[in-house]
Amino acid sequence: MLTGSGYEAVLLDPADGSDLARWRLPDPLAGPDAKAFVPVDAERVVAACEASSLVTFGIDADKATRLGSYDPFGAVGYIHGSVWMMRSGRGFLAVDPTNGTSTWSVEGDRRMVVGPLPYADGVLAGDANGGIRQLGPDGRIVGGLPGRRLDALAAADDGGLFFAAKGTFGSFAFSPKARRSTTSAASAGALSVCESTRQDPEEKA
């Protein structure tokens, strides 16, 4: 079990609470443990620290390493080999967890729904003002789906998405549009909606 506070992270044996490892961090942890630590593999994590910095450490490293300091961010997570940060609710920045260099980003022109989701070799990101953006591995917008104002997105077991919006929740199932010889590269990666369901809460007298 990994825990910590301030400038220290501690790995505890869940059986008896004894210390298995300790790390001195270059910056104090930001927020509660559950939100500060982002597992990137079985033996290594990235920690969100104060001053909008990220550090990494693991069982195979005696010393924590600072990955870098970034623009102020809120939520943080891990997807497709990158650690993503939500830039004050507007856009995302994803970095390589081994060296802190940028792998992809989404400009903060609109407020985004927290938590990008994996899709094929890219990701899907919900735009709170309506729509879902499909992002390639390099962060380009290669497709999209117009939609209503979104509050949350979550992955469904069948590969589709659950969504929540004002007074509404439902699900979508996606499939890539078939590539044709006359299809331009700009539209070849677009998404098509295979099935859409919606349920509006019923008003009770």
Side-chain angles (χ1 to χ4, degrees), residues 117-137:
L117 301 171
Y119 180 80
D121 59 351
V123 301
L124 295 176
D127 183 334
N129 288 336
I132 299 172
R133 303 183 186 188
Q134 181 186 353
L135 304 164

Side-chain angles (χ1 to χ4, degrees), residues 8-78:
E8 189 173 55
V10 184
L11 184 65
L12 302 176
D13 186 333
D16 57 15
S18 60
D19 289 7
L20 297 177
R22 283 180 177 266
W23 296 268
R24 179 70 178 175
L25 307 179
D27 300 305
L29 287 170
D33 302 340
K35 293 183 178 180
F37 296 136
V38 180
V40 297
D41 58 38
E43 298 183 341
R44 189 163 52 100
V45 301
V46 166
C49 296
E50 293 181 3
S52 300
S53 67
L54 296 179
V55 302
T56 183
F57 58 90
I59 297 298
D60 58 348
D62 295 331
K63 184 179 180 180
T65 302
R66 182 188 280 109
L67 293 176
S69 294
Y70 307 92
D71 293 336
F73 62 86
V76 61
Y78 182 75

Side-chain angles (χ1 to χ4, degrees), residues 80 97 140 153 162 170:
H80 274 333
R140 293 181 301 107
L153 289 175
F162 292 113

Side-chain angles (χ1 to χ4, degrees), residues 73 98-99 147:
F73 62 86
T98 63
N99 56 29

Side-chain angles (χ1 to χ4, degrees), residues 65-177:
T65 302
R66 182 188 280 109
L67 293 176
S69 294
Y70 307 92
D71 293 336
F73 62 86
V76 61
Y78 182 75
I79 188 172
H80 274 333
S82 296
V83 174
W84 59 264
M85 294 163 278
M86 190 173 190
R87 293 167 160 169
S88 300
R90 294 181 178 273
F92 293 101
L93 172 65
V95 299
D96 187 322
T98 63
N99 56 29
T101 58
S102 175
T103 54
W104 55 267
S105 64
V106 182
E107 294 302 322
D109 56 336
R110 292 187 177 185
R111 189 171 66 85
M112 307 298 292
V113 175
V114 175
L117 301 171
Y119 180 80
D121 59 351
V123 301
L124 295 176
D127 183 334
N129 288 336
I132 299 172
R133 303 183 186 188
Q134 181 186 353
L135 304 164
D138 59 358
R140 293 181 301 107
I141 298 177
V142 296
L145 176 71
R148 60 171 54 207
R149 190 181 185 97
L150 299 172
D151 294 322
L153 289 175
D157 290 339
D158 61 359
L161 291 177
F162 292 113
F163 73 91
K166 184 177 181 180
T168 305
F169 64 89
S171 64
F172 288 106
F174 295 111
S175 67
K177 287 183 178 178

